[in-house]
Amino acid sequence: MRYGDAVTELGRRERKKLQTRKSISDAATRLFLERGFDEVGVKEIADTADVSVTTLFKHFPSKEALLFDEDEEQESALVAVVRNRGDRSIPMALRDHFVRAAQGHADHPQFEIFQRLVLETPALRDYGHRMWTRHQDALARAIAEETGVPADDVRCAALARFALEAREVIFDREDRERAADEVFGLLEHGWAADQQA
Amino acid sequence: MRYGDAVTELGRRERKKLQTRKSISDAATRLFLERGFDEVGVKEIADTADVSVTTLFKHFPSKEALLFDEDEEQESALVAVVRNRGDRSIPMALRDHFVRAAQGHADHPQFEIFQRLVLETPALRDYGHRMWTRHQDALARAIAEETGVPADDVRCAALARFALEAREVIFDREDRERAADEVFGLLEHGWAADQQA
DNA sequence: CTGAAAAAGTGCAACCACTACACTTTTTAA
DNA sequence: TTAAAAAGTGTAGTGGTTGCACTTTTTCAG
């Protein structure tokens, strides 16, 4: 590791480990999208990735986890949105973030299929929702810091939770941008009133 | 069925079915509270209730469901709170409902143990949360009717969802009444602002 | 009262996600 | 060079859950 800390050099071992992980994840994603979550067993995924079932579970804690592989990015993105919101209010900045993300996904049709798979498979919908709401604490802390209140302020926790839940309320609607306006409008007004007090 | 429709007369068969269901539920609850959810197998519950495992699963869809047996009451209670709120706003009526429920539970120490079991067992916490948020649609419809807007109004859905989620945000806090004030205050102001528009 | 249909319950075998274990192979680093 | 650390493997299991063929109980019409 010579030129700075940002680029972490990897030894052969870690490179191979990452490669194994990726081949498992790829096999799982492909098979799930092709035939559905419940129609594919872990054994078949392991075989396709050419590893043992034991190895598969050393890399992923559950069958559902095979499909949700990028978590930290989303969390830091949420925190960044609150931090770099400019002159917008926090709820409005989050609203813009969700709307922009939804539009960005609309580009790649591959993502639409992924989304439908998750929405239509109860186990995946639940798992995804649980992973998503795990960001509540980080988001609440960011909001608290920006607002200048204690990190465990209840209103910040509530706003964080509500904003995260808002996503699912909005995703079920036809006109998502309009829905986002109304739902986040509710949070916006409540939040603004609380701030003045 | 002679004296009115409210009391449904049951034949011997349905009475026995209900009795079987109850003995299973009772055995499960007792064993779970005594030794913990993960430390008791369905086989043992079935044996204790003197039924087969097959029968157990004919009455309950999953191991978790054995502990959550009273669903409809909660839902109708929520709807009733919105309907009979008097001159209070909808968010405030819901706030009172949750605070009162929490205080009512504080009376019976048996309920504290039940609550801790659920909170400390991830599988139960998740299942309970999922059951709880199933009431979103019914609550949203009640709110819409009271407000005089279409039944599928997004803001009503959002308020319903947020109020249901508020419960968990509040339950994690020490001073629940104070937390309820702040969290529902946020919804109250947002909701009021939207109503005037 | 009788006999058949409907429903509740049973025991067994199996499926599937997941884990513990004892083991081999590969990679690392002193 | 070599020994420890880490990745991977196969097997045998656990535990929740389901399908199936079956018996028992309850109902109800003739």
Side-chain angles (χ1 to χ4, degrees):
Chain A
M1 189 155 60
R2 283 183 186 170
Y3 300 110
D5 288 324
V7 176
T8 308
E9 302 249 341
L10 298 170
R12 193 188 329 259
R13 174 138 85 204
E14 313 215 329
R15 245 181 294 129
K16 287 206 169 181
K17 188 178 180 183
L18 243 56
Q19 180 187 331
T20 304
R21 182 191 173 85
K22 186 173 183 327
S23 76
I24 296 171
S25 172
D26 287 351
T29 306
R30 211 194 72 228
L31 290 174
F32 286 157
L33 288 178
E34 279 176 12
R35 317 214 314 267
F37 183 76
D38 296 319
E39 271 60 57
V40 182
V42 285
K43 177 71 171 18
E44 189 181 351
I45 297 169
D47 287 348
T48 305
D50 204 35
V51 296
S52 71
V53 175
T54 308
T55 298
L56 184 152
F57 279 111
K58 283 230 174 84
H59 285 271
F60 298 90
S62 70
K63 188 185 176 188
E64 290 83 18
L66 291 164
L67 209 54
F68 294 85
D69 220 1
E70 5 64 77
D71 251 347
E72 299 188 6
E73 304 170 22
Q74 290 184 313
E75 182 159 310
S76 46
L78 283 169
V79 172
V81 161
V82 172
R83 291 249 152 81
N84 314 325
R85 70 183 185 286
D87 54 352
R88 291 170 299 174
S89 70
I90 292 174
M92 279 304 126
L94 289 167
R95 187 213 79 113
D96 292 348
H97 178 60
F98 291 147
V99 169
R100 195 151 40 81
Q103 287 174 342
H105 295 340
D107 292 348
H108 287 285
Q110 190 182 357
F111 213 91
E112 286 289 327
I113 305 173
F114 172 85
Q115 209 164 53
R116 186 157 53 208
L117 175 67
V118 173
L119 253 15
E120 286 174 357
T121 311
L124 287 177
R125 188 167 177 150
D126 286 347
Y127 185 85
H129 181 258
R130 210 178 319 138
M131 292 295 109
W132 178 243
T133 49
R134 286 240 172 102
H135 302 143
Q136 181 190 330
D137 284 351
L139 183 55
R141 269 194 299 274
I143 296 174
E145 278 189 30
E146 288 292 316
T147 318
V149 300
D152 65 336
D153 185 89
V154 203
R155 286 167 308 174
C156 297
L159 179 60
R161 174 63 152 265
F162 293 163
L164 293 173
E165 296 290 339
R167 185 170 170 252
E168 227 178 49
V169 175
I170 292 165
F171 267 41
D172 284 338
R173 301 285 158 165
E174 299 251 339
D175 187 347
R176 289 179 179 171
E177 189 156 350
R178 201 178 124 87
D181 283 341
E182 306 210 26
V183 173
F184 277 95
L186 197 152
L187 294 178
E188 162 84 347
H189 293 136
W191 183 247
D194 269 26
Q195 289 308 102
Q196 291 164 3
Chain B
M1 189 155 57
R2 283 184 186 169
Y3 299 111
D5 288 323
V7 176
T8 308
E9 303 247 344
L10 299 169
R12 194 189 326 268
R13 193 200 246 145
E14 313 213 330
R15 245 181 294 128
K16 287 208 171 183
K17 187 177 180 181
L18 242 54
Q19 181 187 331
T20 304
R21 182 191 172 86
K22 184 173 184 329
S23 76
I24 295 171
S25 172
D26 287 350
T29 306
R30 211 193 71 226
L31 291 173
F32 286 157
L33 289 178
E34 278 177 12
R35 317 214 314 265
F37 183 75
D38 295 319
E39 271 61 57
V40 182
V42 284
K43 177 71 170 19
E44 188 182 350
I45 297 170
D47 286 348
T48 304
D50 204 36
V51 295
S52 71
V53 175
T54 308
T55 299
L56 185 151
F57 279 109
K58 284 231 173 86
H59 284 270
F60 298 91
S62 70
K63 187 185 176 188
E64 291 83 19
L66 291 165
L67 209 53
F68 295 86
D69 219 2
E70 4 66 79
D71 250 346
E72 300 187 5
E73 305 171 20
Q74 290 185 314
E75 184 159 307
S76 46
L78 283 168
V79 172
V81 161
V82 172
R83 292 249 153 80
N84 314 326
R85 69 183 184 285
D87 53 355
R88 291 171 298 174
S89 70
I90 292 174
M92 279 303 126
L94 289 167
R95 187 213 79 110
D96 292 347
H97 178 61
F98 290 147
V99 169
R100 196 152 38 83
Q103 286 172 343
H105 295 340
D107 292 348
H108 287 286
Q110 192 182 357
F111 213 89
E112 287 288 329
I113 304 173
F114 173 85
Q115 209 164 55
R116 187 157 51 208
L117 176 67
V118 174
L119 252 16
E120 284 173 358
T121 312
L124 287 177
R125 186 166 178 149
D126 287 346
Y127 185 86
H129 181 257
R130 211 178 319 138
M131 291 298 108
W132 178 243
T133 48
R134 288 240 172 98
H135 302 142
Q136 181 188 329
D137 285 351
L139 183 55
R141 269 193 299 274
I143 295 174
E145 277 188 30
E146 288 291 316
T147 319
V149 299
D152 66 335
D153 184 90
V154 202
R155 285 168 309 175
C156 297
L159 180 60
R161 174 63 153 265
F162 293 163
L164 293 173
E165 295 289 339
R167 185 171 170 253
E168 227 179 47
V169 175
I170 292 166
F171 266 41
D172 284 339
R173 301 285 158 166
E174 297 252 339
D175 187 347
R176 288 178 180 171
E177 189 155 351
R178 200 179 125 88
D181 283 340
E182 307 210 27
V183 173
F184 276 95
L186 198 153
L187 294 178
E188 162 86 347
H189 292 136
W191 183 249
D194 268 27
Q195 289 308 102
Q196 293 165 0

